[in-house]
Structure formats: structure tokens, C-alpha cells
Amino acid sequence: MNSGINVARIRSIGAAYIAEARINQMSKWKGIIAIVAIGNPLFYLIAIGIGVGVLVNQNSGTAGTGGVEYITFIAPALLASAALTGAMDETMFPVMEGFKWRKLFFAMNATPITGGQIAIGVFLAAMLRVAFTVICYWILLIAFGVVTVAESWDVVPITMFAAGGFGATIMALTARVKNEDYFMTILGRLIIMPMFLFSGTFFPLTNMPIYLQPIGWISPLWHATELGRHFSYGYPISPLMLLIHFGYLTIMLSLGLTFAQKIFSERLAR
Amino acid sequence: MPESLIIARGLTKKFGDFTAVDAIDFDVAKGESFGLLGPNGAGKSTTMRIIAATSQRTSGTITVLDRDPEEHGPQIRAHLGVVPQQDNLDGELTVTENLFIYGRYFGLSKKFIRAKVEELLEFAQLEEKRDAKVDALSGGMKRRLTIARALISEPDILMLDEPTTGLDPQARHILWDRLFRLKEVGVTLVLTTHFMDEAEQLCDRLVVMDKGKIMAEGAPSELIKTYSTKEVLEVRFGSERNKEVAPTLREMCPRIEELPDRILMYVDDGEALLEEIVAKKLHPTTSLVRRSSLEDVFLRLTGRSLIE
């Protein structure tokens, strides 16, 4: 019997071993991750923030954006969008790979590691990637002079929290997927794309006719964006709405993680 | 009586209405090499997954290393090495990285793993491939790496599900040699196979499974002695005439099996029987006298070939 194996310890920190492995796997993609983390904000800030921003500000001043420059208005939304996309990449693909493409989760589960620990480990590693993306973005926002460190530092943890809620939900949904072609097409084209367009990213959600606004209400991106605006440039939100935004994302996070752990364990036990 | 590492009684696994494993009993002793032989779908892999504490039984009892896998999965898995039917290595990582990551899942120290990796690379004959990406390895190399990976935690039992399926003959022989070495140093092996030659080479004792049930149990030589004759005479008369001559052959031998392409005749002296056949002017187009194998045992027990 190998006495170097401490099962009690693995039971308590096993998820950290999985996160360590995931980070190891991600490091193979570090070049691409870095290019996306820096290139994405750079392109968006220049094209939309400055390019479209000039157009908006010339035509309507700051009236349509609640009294701030257009770039200030969309910066927290672009930040949230990048964070949520990063969270999705690191929860959807590893889960498909783990259960179907390479069956890596079955290898992990042949050790003392449990299905629930695999879910938490994948999630923790995804959050690390999100942290990297968000911090890169934030530094660029400061460099562009869009926000200042003092007034916007809290946007970083809040955006990460929102991305966590979204990532946990995507992880739980992906864990059941047998045929990824359908799933990825529907998710990408019919959910993510409209979410990006109808979550008050480029214009206030209230500009939409009322019957289209519910798309924003159910979208985690809208909640993340509203919070981001509030904490980066003091966009006013009532205490009730603050509670709703945080509450919605907290529910996504806790339901996502709870179901992901359960579904992972069931699928591994077949 | 040596210590039993695995004890199963009335072990049953159902998937809905389908009974994959049907009330089987078996014991695996410490240091023994135990095989589950049977065709695809016999319930071998399901049994392996129950032993490995990744799938729960429907009824019956099983203890693995003195524990119930239903309640103590992580404790049991901490002392098993599992080689699944399909290699589930991380193809994007290198050989060494795969071993290293896996060792971490057992909470082993980096220092311990580093030393162990060297030992295992040598064992698996993969020293030259240590920094190669796993996707670039041959099937035999991947298989050896999966076995090396399963050994990183110095398991008490090594579980191998179809270890050589899909490998070419040379790769199979290299793998058998490696497994034989493990057996020599006293590692307890539990393996499934549908190759009778593999079972004969590697197993001290085996159970023959079919449709979820155990049909027979014993050492390969015992099974052959109990369920078959010393020799087998295989004769072919061409697909047209096989049927025609079968009744005559049946009168000459207490047990014959008509297969689509040939007729198997079970006797203790094959040459003598062949002379009798020739004396009757039946003239088979080809004939072969061979020793009985586990394939014949399986045919006797189930009326079907192992590989169809």
C-alpha cells in the first residue's frame, strides 16, 4: 500500500489538483489566451469606443448615454462581455473534452478525485483565466484614460463574479451534452449573439421597445453591464435594482455549481 | 489461503431492463493475475467499473481492499491503477506531463512523482519519447503510457480493460512482456480480454463470462482439461461438402462442432482420427491437428465463438 497517499487531504483539496491540471493544459494555449485578452479590448476600444464614439458624441453629445462619453459608457459592457466569453470558453470546451472528446474526466475519476471536485476544479481554473482577461482589459481601459484606478478598481471583482455565474451555468448545461454540434450552434448563434446585442451593451436597454427588453433582463450580461457601469463611473442604480442584479448572478452561480457537481458525478458513474 | 483483495457475491448490475452483470461470484487473491474472458457485451467492462468504484452495483455485495466501493470510492481508488479500454490520455500534453499530472490527482509530492516518472519511462520503454506530445505516439506507445500512468501511485491492484485490443502483433508482445514483469514482482492484475491467447499468457486464473453470467472458472489449463479434449482435429471439405460429410464424422467422434468454414473434432489423438477419416476415403481439402485452447472451452460452454 502506498503510504504517501493521503485520502483525507485529497477529499478536502482535490479540486485544487484539478485546477492545477487545467492551468497546465491552458498554458499550452497561453499565446492565444494573451492575444485574445489584449487584442479583443484593443480592437473594440478603438473601433467602437473611439470610432463609433465620435459619431455618437457628435450627433447627440452625451445625452443618450446618461451624461458620459460613449467610450466610458460602453467600456464596462465590453469588459463584462469579454469576461463572460472567457468564462464560457473555459467551461464549455474543457467539459466537452472531459466527457466526450478525450474522456479526460474519466481518467481523473479513476483516482481518488470525485466528479464534484472535477467540476469545482474546472471552474476555479476558468476563473483564473477570467481574472487574467479582466485585469488585462482594465489596465487597457486605464491606459486609454477611460477610467481611473481609484474609482473603478471594484469593477474587476464584480465583473469576475458575474462571469463566474455565467461560467457555472454554462458548465452545468454542457455537462449533459451528448451532441455538441447542435448545442454549440444554438448557444453561439441564438443565445450568445443576441445576448451581446440586446443586453444594453451598445445603447441603454431602455432604448428598446418594452417587448424586447426581457431579453436583457434574463441576460447575465445585462446585469453584469449595469453593475459595471455603476461601479466604474457612478451610473445611478436604485438599491432594489442593485439587489436584483447581484441576486440574479448569485442564483446563476449557486445553481450552476450545484447542478454541475451533481451532473458530473452522475455522468461519470453512468 | 492467500488474502483476498476482491470478494464479490451475487454481484448484479442492471441498466433499466437490461442485466449487464447477472449475480456473479468471484474472489481475487493478492498477487494473482485474474482474468475476465468473454466476448464483447459479456459484462466484463461493467464488472471492472464496479470494482474500480466508478459504477455502482444494483444488488449483491462486493468488497475491494476490505471496503465497500459504494461508500468508500476515493479510498479504494487511491490504491487501484486503472487502464481503461480506450486510452484517455491528454494528447496535447507530453508523455512526462501526462504522468506528472496524474500523479498529482493522488496528492503525491512533486519530488516523489519526478523520481517515479523516470522509473516508469524506463519500464514503458518511452525514455526517448519523454518530451513528445502524446497525440504523436503510436497506439502501442499510448497503451504503454496508459499502463505507466496507472502505476504512478504504486497501486495494490492494476486493472486492465482489454489491454491489447487494437494493437498489432508486435506491440501486443511488447505489452505482454511488460505485464509479465509486473506479475513477476507480485502486482495483482485484474484484466479483461476477448483474446484467448492473451488469457492463456497472462492469467493464473480466469472466469469465462457470457451475457453477464460466469460460465466457468479456473486456471486456463484446468478449464481446457475440464471442458475440452487434449487435441482438436480441424478438417475442411469446402463449404458445400462440410454439411454432407458431417453425419459420417459425427459417428466417428463423440463431439464435433460444425463451424461455417470448418469442422472441429474433439479427440485425444487427432492424428489417429485423421487416418481413420482418410481410410474412409473422405479426403478433407485441408486438415490440422492442434492442442485445445480456451477458444474451444468457450465454444463448448456457449455454443459460439469468442470472436465472431
Side-chain angles (χ1 to χ4, degrees):
Chain A
M1 198 150 280
N2 185 342
S3 51
I5 301 174
N6 181 345
V7 179
R9 190 174 148 82
I10 302 168
R11 296 214 79 160
S12 58
I13 65 158
Y17 297 137
I18 299 301
E20 181 187 329
R22 278 291 307 134
I23 291 161
N24 216 317
Q25 290 161 333
M26 274 183 215
S27 70
K28 299 276 156 176
W29 302 85
K30 58 183 175 241
I32 293 172
I33 290 174
I35 289 168
V36 171
I38 297 163
N40 176 5
L42 210 56
F43 299 150
Y44 270 110
L45 288 173
I46 293 171
I48 313 281
I50 299 174
V52 179
V54 168
L55 189 72
V56 173
N57 293 136
Q58 273 175 356
N59 285 290
S60 62
T62 56
T65 52
V68 292
E69 293 282 322
Y70 188 64
I71 194 167
T72 309
F73 174 77
I74 65 155
L78 293 177
L79 175 70
S81 163
L84 266 59
T85 311
M88 185 172 80
D89 281 351
E90 296 304 340
T91 48
M92 188 166 70
F93 294 108
V95 172
M96 282 318 301
E97 193 157 70
F99 280 119
K100 190 172 169 185
W101 298 334
R102 290 186 190 271
K103 300 193 183 295
L104 300 179
F105 290 169
F106 292 91
M108 294 170 179
N109 190 229
T111 74
I113 301 287
T114 64
Q117 288 175 325
I118 298 172
I120 299 296
V122 168
F123 180 75
L124 289 175
M127 289 313 290
L128 198 79
R129 154 90 191 266
V130 169
F132 177 71
T133 301
V134 169
I135 290 168
C136 285
Y137 217 125
W138 184 60
I139 290 171
L140 276 164
L141 290 178
I142 294 164
F144 272 70
V146 179
V147 296
T148 63
V149 178
E151 71 175 354
S152 74
W153 65 270
D154 40 10
V155 167
V156 172
I158 284 161
T159 306
M160 280 183 62
F161 170 73
F166 183 60
T169 306
I170 293 289
M171 183 166 71
L173 291 174
T174 312
R176 277 206 196 286
V177 172
K178 302 258 157 63
N179 182 347
E180 68 272 24
D181 295 347
Y182 273 124
F183 176 70
M184 287 186 180
T185 309
I186 291 171
L187 192 70
R189 308 236 168 110
L190 296 176
I191 297 180
I192 303 302
M193 194 60 193
M195 186 173 101
F196 190 50
L197 295 175
F198 293 91
S199 293
T201 313
F202 301 104
F203 44 82
L205 185 63
T206 45
N207 287 10
M208 282 282 120
I210 186 72
Y211 57 86
L212 282 178
Q213 290 188 24
I215 300 177
W217 301 340
I218 60 167
S219 158
L221 184 57
W222 180 65
H223 296 280
T225 297
E226 293 286 289
L227 287 174
R229 286 184 178 136
H230 180 70
F231 287 97
S232 67
Y233 66 85
Y235 163 79
I237 298 182
S238 69
L240 175 67
M241 281 315 289
L242 263 183
L243 194 72
I244 289 174
H245 294 318
F246 276 115
Y248 189 83
L249 295 168
T250 306
I251 290 169
M252 281 190 99
L253 181 67
S254 53
L255 286 185
L257 287 183
T258 307
F259 279 101
Q261 291 180 75
K262 189 172 167 310
I263 298 164
F264 271 47
S265 299
E266 285 170 2
R267 188 157 175 188
L268 287 167
R270 259 188 305 188
Chain B
M1 194 66 189
E3 185 194 342
S4 285
L5 298 188
I6 306 171
I7 305 166
R9 294 289 176 269
L11 187 66
T12 302
K13 174 76 182 185
K14 291 183 180 175
F15 296 102
D17 288 339
F18 173 69
T19 306
V21 177
D22 195 356
I24 62 172
D25 300 343
F26 62 87
D27 291 45
V28 179
K30 188 173 178 164
E32 134 174 271
S33 172
F34 179 80
L36 300 152
L37 176 73
N40 292 333
K44 307 184 303 282
S45 296
T46 307
T47 306
M48 293 289 267
R49 289 179 53 78
I50 297 170
I51 298 171
T54 43
S55 179
Q56 302 302 346
R57 63 187 183 270
T58 309
S59 60
T61 62
I62 181 166
T63 58
V64 180
L65 303 169
D66 298 322
R67 287 188 160 107
D68 182 340
E70 196 165 328
E71 282 158 39
H72 301 283
Q75 284 92 335
I76 291 172
R77 295 199 300 269
H79 301 288
L80 298 182
V82 177
V83 178
Q85 201 165 340
Q86 257 185 311
D87 293 321
N88 47 23
L89 298 159
D90 191 329
E92 281 165 17
L93 301 185
T94 67
V95 167
T96 312
E97 286 169 332
N98 264 277
L99 293 172
F100 199 89
I101 277 194
Y102 205 71
R104 295 291 289 158
Y105 298 153
F106 290 89
L108 296 167
S109 74
K110 290 179 180 170
K111 190 174 158 227
F112 175 90
I113 301 173
R114 264 194 284 274
K116 194 76 194 163
V117 163
E118 293 309 313
E119 193 185 304
L120 290 171
L121 286 173
E122 193 196 334
F123 168 78
Q125 296 166 308
L126 289 168
E127 290 136 305
E128 286 169 19
K129 297 284 179 184
R130 59 188 308 140
D131 295 321
K133 225 173 150 185
V134 165
D135 276 341
L137 300 183
S138 72
M141 288 177 184
K142 282 184 190 161
R143 212 67 190 131
R144 296 205 301 273
L145 178 58
T146 307
I147 293 171
R149 187 181 70 172
L151 293 169
I152 196 124
S153 55
E154 299 182 338
D156 293 339
I157 307 173
L158 182 63
M159 315 269 303
L160 301 132
D161 197 355
E162 304 275 357
T164 66
T165 297
L167 298 186
D168 63 54
Q170 198 199 349
R172 291 181 75 197
H173 281 283
I174 297 174
L175 210 76
W176 284 348
D177 167 63
R178 297 292 106 181
L179 294 176
F180 212 83
R181 274 163 208 244
L182 293 175
K183 206 161 107 61
E184 279 176 339
V185 298
V187 177
T188 307
L189 302 179
V190 178
L191 62 106
T192 76
T193 182
H194 62 259
F195 296 118
M196 55 191 175
D197 52 349
E198 184 160 284
E200 286 192 55
Q201 289 254 356
L202 294 176
C203 301
D204 299 324
R205 204 162 56 82
L206 54 90
V207 291
V208 179
M209 285 188 77
D210 188 38
K211 294 175 181 160
K213 287 197 166 70
I214 290 178
M215 311 297 288
E217 182 196 332
S221 58
E222 277 171 28
L223 287 169
I224 292 167
K225 207 184 274 176
T226 312
Y227 295 100
S228 193
T229 48
K230 212 162 131 197
E231 290 185 337
V232 185
L233 170 62
E234 297 194 3
V235 284
R236 293 170 201 253
F237 294 90
S239 48
E240 298 290 304
R241 274 189 71 209
N242 278 348
K243 239 185 179 56
E244 206 178 291
V245 295
T248 323
L249 297 180
R250 208 175 284 280
E251 282 166 24
M252 300 169 70
C253 176
R255 187 178 154 230
I256 76 167
E257 293 282 352
E258 284 178 66
L259 300 183
D261 60 330
R262 68 210 137 112
I263 297 171
L264 306 182
M265 305 180 74
Y266 290 90
V267 283
D268 283 336
D269 188 344
E271 289 294 345
L273 181 60
L274 182 59
E275 276 172 31
E276 273 182 59
I277 292 171
V278 174
K280 289 202 173 186
K281 305 237 180 308
L282 286 171
H283 299 301
T285 50
T286 63
S287 62
L288 166 75
V289 177
R290 60 165 176 84
R291 279 176 51 230
S292 273
S293 73
L294 286 171
E295 176 81 48
D296 300 298
V297 172
F298 190 79
L299 191 63
R300 173 68 183 272
L301 289 168
T302 67
R304 291 181 293 116
S305 299
L306 259 174
I307 304 166
E308 282 162 331

